Amino acid sequence: MEVKIGVQHAPREIVLESGQSAEEVERAVGDALAGKAQLLSLTDEKGRRILVPADRLAYVEIGEATERRVGFGVL
């Protein structure tokens, strides 16, 4: 699952591949925005944790994982 996070006053967005489902990511974002958690905490596919202060979230885009194509073939 590809997740893009926009952070206020930051020129770049955070992009990560997460093993979490779309529902889990949406629930974590909802909890952070509702004030239940002060940090948005997500884990990427390599086990690294990404923490973003909830009051600095600009947007979160949840998309499907893209398959990496290797070699020569029909696109």
Side-chain angles (χ1 to χ4, degrees):
M1 167 89 30
E2 182 181 58
V3 180
K4 293 181 183 180
I5 304 170
V7 181
Q8 294 177 11
H9 309 296
R12 300 178 116 184
E13 62 190 6
I14 300 170
V15 180
L16 65 123
E17 289 288 331
S18 178
Q20 296 171 300
S21 69
E23 292 79 21
E24 291 172 329
V25 173
E26 188 174 350
R27 190 176 314 114
V29 171
D31 289 346
L33 293 176
K36 295 179 183 176
Q38 292 184 353
L39 294 173
L40 170 61
S41 175
L42 299 174
T43 305
D44 71 359
E45 288 184 338
K46 296 181 181 179
R48 296 178 291 193
R49 298 196 72 182
I50 291 83
L51 303 172
V52 180
D55 62 341
R56 296 291 181 211
L57 287 174
Y59 64 89
V60 177
E61 183 179 316
I62 304 169
E64 292 297 319
T66 57
E67 294 182 23
R68 296 183 184 185
R69 297 182 184 197
V70 178
F72 300 99
V74 179
L75 297 176

